[in-house]
Amino acid sequence: MNPADFPVEWANWAAIVLFVVIGFAVFLVPKSMFMHDAPDQKRWRDVRLWAIPLVLVQLGLYLLFT
Amino acid sequence: MTTAVHPLDLAIIVAYLGVITWVGLKVSKGVKNEHDFFLAGRTLAWYVIGLSIIGTNVSAEGYVGASGGAFKVGIAQASFEWIGAIPAMILASLIFIPVYWRSGVYSIPEYVGRRYNESVRVLLAVITSVFSIFAIAVGLWAMALTLETYLDWPIWVGILVTGTVVGIYSVAGGLRAVAYTDMLQVIVMFCGSLVIVALGIAQTDGFTGFAAKLTENNPDHLHAFLPADHEDFPWPGVLMGLAIVLSPAYWCGSQTILQRTLGARTQWDASAAMMAAAFGKTLVPLLIVFPGLLALVMQADIAYPDMALPWVIKNVLPPGLSGLMFVALIAALQSTVDSALNSTSLMITRDIRGVLMKNADRSKDLVVGRMLTGVILAVAMLFAPSIGEFGGMYVFVQTLLSLFQGPTLALLVLGAFTRHVTPVAGLVTLVTGVALSAFLTLFDLNMLYVAFITFVYSLVCLFIVSFFTPKLPAEVLDRLVWRHESR
């Protein structure tokens, strides 16, 4: 199959897979990397958790605009 | 298309320029040394930095171009901003910002200089600085052109007014003034764009009516990607070249973007700022591509796609609100130009002057930095009216910069993640990688694929040459390489 003929839907699926992988991969980064000098250790300051809604929004967008 | 200036429009523009200058000068107090000027004394909070990142990223010509792109290809224009930004911003937030922060550098060229050698540092600083000066001139020219078209201001008046306002607070306050004014500018930009969206949706029978009209004659305009045989943006190229190479090279390696994160009050603020900016980066593309889609739905009779935004301003916005939109455009311009000014001044002061003139008096860095900020702006303002004549040179510099992206990203990735790569290997990779990029551009190959190929080559070259060349001492690497247990 010629690469130029690859269906465009594959791109959406590739993007979705990429964001799912990112959603899990962020938790491989230890909290100490960015939390050690935070003003406090409250849960909301864990920026890895911020990545979750961010990734979910991207998944929604790429599912919507297929 | 010139129209008489509505007094309300003019009042909004004048009030905006006045407020920005006042805020810029207000936060400028307390700049005592180069640390205050270039890194805001490391006092910036995450929400200030996050908004400033968005402001720096969205330029006036980018705003106009994104609307034009959406008119032509639809929502895929916004998708370039999502897949071409969000993964890289998450990477920057969690990996690269902590590494840069811990190394204690002022700039990305300085980090590369410590990780590899001073030649690499100066080379990157020079090419980035030259590009920035051209980019500032292009931004000023684009804005002046818009002001001339709609407000009948002569080109030189537009350049003088917008340039002077930016110059006053950038020279006086450095990064702190830049970041705080960026924050206000982004809020203005959001408000102006939201007004267009609200009015546009109202005029096209709600969102459902809007989407139905859009897809009636343009069935592919709600697809996130373009076909694999698309001339400019084939989806495999977008995924490999943009998402994997160009986007991380920008978000993890651009001094203009990352400088404000190095000015954060804590490392947590720096990481949180980039993650917060990623939320803004998800919303902003929808706002800035909307005028292009609206022009399409309203069947605008325009000669070329980039006229979409001007058409919407003229035909959708009532008098008074046009002023708000102009202000949004001026805000987009200023927030990009002031950041480029500050970061270019930093790179010339520390990464070029500081390396090439070893005996230079470092206590004069603040004076030199302020002076350079003024000089860079003056040069860009002088260039701006004749940017058309220098357009070919700008394209040349832009192409030159793009040749560096693949090799530079390889240097950053392996430099930050492994202790294996060496200074000599870094220089060899940069030189041969750029040469390979230049060679590949001789063929009819999309730049997205060129970026991907040179990135892969550079990874392999850097890795292999490092086996045969001396490494940096372990204690030096401790501060420059990401460690799983690192603090």
Side-chain angles (χ1 to χ4, degrees):
Chain A
M1 194 179 196
N2 187 335
D5 297 329
F6 288 166
V8 74
E9 293 77 22
W10 288 10
N12 280 67
W13 288 113
I16 287 166
V17 169
L18 174 67
F19 280 111
V20 168
V21 169
I22 289 172
F24 286 103
V26 293
F27 290 98
L28 296 176
V29 179
K31 234 161 74 164
S32 60
M33 275 298 280
F34 48 84
M35 286 284 276
H36 66 89
D37 63 353
D40 56 58
Q41 297 295 310
K42 287 180 181 157
R43 197 163 172 75
W44 72 269
R45 290 194 187 272
D46 186 345
V47 291
R48 298 173 306 177
L49 297 178
W50 299 19
I52 302 305
L54 187 60
V55 163
L56 289 175
V57 171
Q58 306 303 315
L59 292 178
L61 288 168
Y62 282 103
L63 283 170
L64 181 66
F65 297 119
T66 304
Chain B
M1 204 181 277
T2 300
T3 54
V5 187
H6 193 283
L8 190 56
D9 288 341
L10 196 58
I12 290 172
I13 293 170
V14 171
Y16 163 78
L17 292 174
V19 168
I20 285 295
T21 310
W22 180 78
V23 171
L25 290 175
K26 180 98 177 154
V27 299
S28 296
K29 290 170 186 167
V31 175
K32 294 184 179 65
N33 52 40
E34 82 281 2
H35 187 68
D36 295 333
F37 189 73
F38 290 128
L39 295 184
R42 289 207 155 147
T43 56
L44 299 175
W46 64 274
Y47 48 88
V48 176
I49 302 170
L51 287 169
S52 179
I53 288 172
I54 294 295
T56 303
N57 175 246
V58 181
S59 62
E61 66 272 22
Y63 200 152
V64 174
S67 285
F71 185 86
K72 197 173 162 189
V73 302
I75 204 75
Q77 181 69 39
S79 171
F80 300 152
E81 307 271 347
W82 296 323
I83 194 76
I86 308 302
M89 291 173 88
I90 294 173
L91 186 68
S93 168
L94 297 177
I95 304 290
F96 281 95
I97 287 173
V99 167
Y100 296 148
W101 182 276
R102 198 182 61 215
S103 66
V105 296
Y106 274 60
S107 71
I108 309 309
E110 186 178 349
Y111 172 78
V112 174
R114 287 190 193 179
R115 184 64 185 83
Y116 295 97
N117 59 42
E118 300 284 66
S119 305
V120 178
R121 176 181 182 180
V122 173
L123 195 59
L124 281 181
V126 168
I127 182 69
T128 313
S129 299
V130 172
F131 173 75
S132 282
I133 294 170
F134 270 101
I136 293 166
V138 169
L140 289 170
W141 176 77
M143 194 63 242
L145 206 62
T146 308
L147 291 170
E148 183 199 39
T149 307
Y150 289 98
L151 301 181
D152 213 13
W153 289 6
I155 289 282
W156 69 269
V157 173
I159 290 172
L160 200 63
V161 170
T162 50
T164 303
V165 171
V166 169
I168 288 172
Y169 68 76
S170 298
V171 171
L175 182 63
R176 187 171 163 80
V178 167
Y180 275 90
T181 51
D182 279 3
M183 183 175 73
L184 288 180
Q185 286 153 353
V186 168
I187 292 168
V188 168
M189 215 159 49
F190 264 57
C191 293
S193 307
L194 278 172
V195 167
I196 284 197
V197 172
L199 288 174
I201 294 283
Q203 287 192 20
T204 50
D205 307 326
F207 184 75
T208 314
F210 177 85
K213 283 179 187 167
L214 176 66
T215 50
E216 195 175 39
N217 296 319
N218 309 280
D220 294 332
H221 267 52
L222 285 182
H223 288 169
F225 289 97
L226 300 172
D229 59 354
H230 191 272
E231 190 183 349
D232 299 321
F233 301 107
W235 72 259
V238 168
L239 289 179
M240 291 191 294
L242 181 64
I244 295 178
V245 184
L246 296 177
S247 164
Y250 175 77
W251 290 102
C252 303
S254 164
Q255 176 60 27
T256 308
I257 288 293
L258 291 166
Q259 189 171 333
R260 62 256 312 101
T261 65
L262 297 174
R265 59 190 175 187
T266 65
Q267 187 191 304
W268 177 85
D269 280 271
S271 286
M274 185 58 86
M275 201 65 91
F279 282 97
K281 190 65 185 164
T282 304
L283 177 64
V284 165
L286 285 174
L287 294 178
I288 65 175
V289 305
F290 186 83
L293 301 178
L294 183 62
L296 202 61
V297 166
M298 296 179 78
Q299 299 179 323
D301 182 21
I302 53 179
Y304 51 95
D306 281 356
M307 290 299 292
L309 180 62
W311 185 90
V312 168
I313 292 176
K314 185 169 184 242
N315 293 280
V316 176
L317 296 183
L321 282 180
S322 305
L324 185 64
M325 205 54 228
F326 281 128
V327 163
L329 275 175
I330 296 171
L333 166 90
Q334 290 183 326
S335 56
T336 305
V337 167
D338 58 18
S339 305
L341 271 178
N342 193 252
S343 63
T344 308
S345 168
L346 164 63
M347 286 187 289
I348 297 177
T349 303
R350 289 181 59 90
D351 298 314
I352 299 174
R353 170 179 167 270
V355 172
L356 299 182
M357 299 168 67
K358 294 281 185 200
N359 296 324
D361 183 357
R362 301 311 294 262
S363 67
K364 297 235 172 13
D365 276 5
L366 172 61
V367 178
V368 173
R370 275 188 164 145
M371 197 179 68
L372 277 171
T373 304
V375 170
I376 293 163
L377 180 61
V379 169
M381 285 167 75
L382 285 173
F383 255 134
S386 48
I387 200 71
E389 295 166 36
F390 290 96
M393 200 188 292
Y394 177 65
V395 171
F396 171 74
V397 173
Q398 200 172 23
T399 305
L400 195 61
L401 185 72
S402 70
L403 302 181
F404 278 74
Q405 301 295 308
T408 304
L409 181 65
L411 259 61
L412 288 174
V413 168
L414 289 188
F417 275 105
T418 76
R419 302 167 75 88
H420 169 69
V421 294
T422 66
V424 174
L427 189 59
V428 170
T429 300
L430 188 62
V431 172
T432 57
V434 171
L436 176 65
S437 298
F439 176 70
L440 290 174
T441 56
L442 298 176
F443 301 92
D444 189 21
L445 194 59
N446 190 301
M447 277 306 287
L448 295 169
Y449 294 123
V450 171
F452 184 73
I453 292 167
T454 53
F455 173 60
V456 173
Y457 161 78
S458 300
L459 286 177
V460 173
C461 177
L462 189 54
F463 192 76
I464 291 175
V465 175
S466 294
F467 278 111
F468 310 104
T469 48
K471 290 181 173 51
L472 287 173
E475 62 273 20
V476 175
L477 288 172
D478 283 345
R479 291 186 62 82
L480 298 171
V481 178
W482 191 85
R483 285 176 299 160
H484 194 268
E485 75 283 6
S486 69
R487 282 180 44 98

